[in-house]
Amino acid sequence: MPSFDANDYVYLDWAATAPLCEEAAQAMAPYQVPGRANLAVGGNANSLHAPGRAAFAALEDARRSLARDLGASRPDEVVFTSGATEADDAAVLGIARAAAAERRRGGAGAFIPHIVTTAVEHDAVLAPAKRLEAEGFRVTRLAPNRQGFVEPAALQAVLDEDTVLVSVQAANSEVGSIQPIAALARAAHGAGALFHTDAVQALGKAPVDVGAWGVDAASFSAHKVGGPKGVGALYLRARTPFEAQAIGGGQESGRRSGTQNVAGAAGFAAAAHAACSLQEREAARLRGLRDRLYAGLSAHGAVEATVDVAPGSADFLPNIVHVLVRGLESETLILRFDLRGFGVSGGSACSSHSLAPSHVLHALGIDDDRAHGALRISMGRGTTEEDVSAFLGAVAGVLDWS
């Protein structure tokens, strides 16, 4: 049990995970019934008997709902996974290997497959890219500009006839830069390459439409939008070359083996639908809170904004504030705020136990000394004006604490 009163705690780490939303909880409630009653919905979705058919119907309902909210043209373009890390791994490894194999079968000659990603991607993209490099692929890691944006011209300049895949995140989880995905995908396709985007942070915070973007694949996570942990999705456009990474059972049309988490899929679909339905209104509200936080934090001489976010800007996520604090390290800041009842972070939750400065900040040209003082404040549906006021009221005490 927690050693704190959650009712009095101000949670400002929504980019790490969002609390379970009411819509997801209601969607999953029927699956929590124990015993024989659970068979009404809790069967194996791959079984032919009545409980299995009921589970399969619920799984396909969730798939159709999620496909609509993501802008997919067909429900079967949505592959359920255990989370966004698996979706990223599967996309980068599965598409790159399959596309390279197709080129070789087509008589590509002296062909060394090439993939392009960026230096600010999540490790779930950078790690499989490194594995492909060890397999003989060439890997180009594009550096963004100082504000965290990857420009289409910069991508165009590194594409060549051997490029099989480009992977660029839709929005950065640390500084919030929103990439021009449609333009980047057009550049990739113009060179004959496929395009994947890690859209985990964008979903529910910025407009997401995989069809309008023109991407071949996109990764998503349930718990970032108030769904359950342990479930995600890979959008895989029809006829996109793909080599399954999880094999053995043939589920998800052979693209991801393993018994599906039907309750998780139902919760994910409900949370995503709520987040997408509220996205425009919530984005406007959160931008106001974001701008207020930036203004309040910059009033302290020891604090500087990591990137230049103009008030009202839609070029950055509306829910993320990222600053650098001189004279204090991220871990110290996190613990001091935590003791005062505020949950914040230094960057990506997947790297929160590492003492090394963020690779994202390095890619932005920020030196180690400044990067060690990184602080990320991220918000969501439950964040209020009062939460922001309380946080800003605590900043001076945290910075001056001796």
Side-chain angles (χ1 to χ4, degrees):
M1 295 297 292
S3 58
F4 64 96
D5 184 349
N7 293 320
D8 291 332
Y9 197 83
V10 177
Y11 183 68
L12 294 171
D13 198 16
W14 289 68
T17 194
L20 190 71
C21 68
E22 182 62 30
E23 293 86 352
Q26 288 181 5
M28 293 188 294
Y31 300 88
Q32 311 307 317
V33 178
R36 293 173 63 87
N38 184 259
L39 293 176
V41 289
N44 186 320
N46 306 286
S47 298
L48 294 178
H49 47 55
R53 294 196 304 274
F56 179 79
L59 182 70
E60 295 311 300
D61 282 347
R63 196 187 311 276
R64 283 189 290 272
S65 175
L66 195 55
R68 284 192 299 269
D69 286 322
L70 299 181
S73 61
R74 296 163 35 168
D76 64 359
E77 292 178 324
V78 173
V79 180
F80 285 110
T81 68
S82 64
T85 294
E86 183 190 345
D88 279 340
D89 284 358
V92 176
L93 296 173
I95 295 174
R97 288 168 175 164
E102 276 196 0
R103 295 273 189 98
R104 291 189 180 102
R105 285 194 297 270
F111 168 62
I112 301 177
H114 175 228
I115 71 168
V116 180
T117 187
T118 82
V120 293
E121 297 298 311
H122 191 281
D123 283 337
V125 167
L126 294 176
K130 187 174 182 180
R131 177 169 293 181
L132 288 172
E133 198 168 32
E135 294 175 6
F137 283 69
R138 289 186 296 121
V139 178
T140 299
R141 299 169 181 85
L142 276 175
N145 65 23
R146 178 58 184 82
Q147 303 307 314
F149 298 106
V150 176
E151 298 168 0
L155 172 59
Q156 188 74 56
V158 301
L159 297 169
D160 59 42
E161 61 184 9
D162 288 347
T163 308
V164 295
L165 177 66
V166 175
S167 181
V168 180
Q169 61 190 189
N172 187 262
S173 64
E174 296 192 28
V175 297
S177 313
I178 299 175
Q179 305 296 350
I181 293 300
L184 294 168
R186 283 195 299 271
H189 291 156
L194 297 164
F195 190 93
H196 163 257
T197 184
D198 176 338
V200 168
Q201 291 293 340
L203 185 62
K205 312 301 186 306
V208 167
D209 188 327
V210 294
W213 280 346
V215 300
D216 302 290
S219 304
F220 301 94
S221 172
H223 76 96
K224 302 292 189 180
V225 291
K229 296 172 180 63
V231 62
L234 172 62
Y235 161 75
L236 197 61
R237 186 175 58 84
R239 295 178 293 281
T240 298
F242 181 72
E243 178 185 298
Q245 302 304 296
I247 58 176
Q251 291 90 347
E252 296 296 292
S253 301
R255 296 167 298 183
R256 194 274 183 182
S257 293
T259 302
Q260 295 96 331
N261 178 358
V262 180
F268 186 6
H273 184 67
C276 291
S277 299
L278 295 169
Q279 184 269 314
E280 189 173 356
R281 186 180 76 190
E282 272 295 283
R285 185 182 75 86
L286 290 170
R287 272 189 211 104
L289 297 180
R290 177 198 69 188
D291 295 347
R292 190 176 159 210
L293 278 166
Y294 270 123
L297 286 165
S298 14
H300 297 273
V303 181
E304 64 171 311
T306 308
V307 288
D308 299 327
V309 182
S313 173
D315 293 332
F316 294 86
L317 288 175
N319 66 314
I320 287 181
V321 170
H322 198 284
V323 295
L324 305 172
V325 181
R326 288 190 296 278
L328 290 170
E329 294 190 346
S330 296
E331 292 77 14
T332 301
L333 290 163
I334 293 165
L335 293 173
R336 287 186 181 182
F337 276 116
D338 186 55
L339 286 171
R340 290 171 180 259
F342 300 92
V344 295
S345 75
S348 171
C350 297
S351 304
S352 63
H353 293 287
S354 171
L355 296 178
S358 158
H359 68 277
V360 172
L361 301 185
H362 273 170
L364 298 185
I366 295 169
D367 61 64
D368 282 0
D369 187 55
R370 292 163 68 216
H372 274 301
L375 182 68
R376 184 186 70 182
I377 304 102
S378 54
M379 303 168 287
R381 283 173 65 182
T383 308
T384 65
E385 291 277 0
E386 291 74 21
D387 291 337
V388 170
S389 295
F391 177 79
L392 289 173
V395 171
V398 167
L399 299 184
D400 299 336
W401 191 10
S402 58

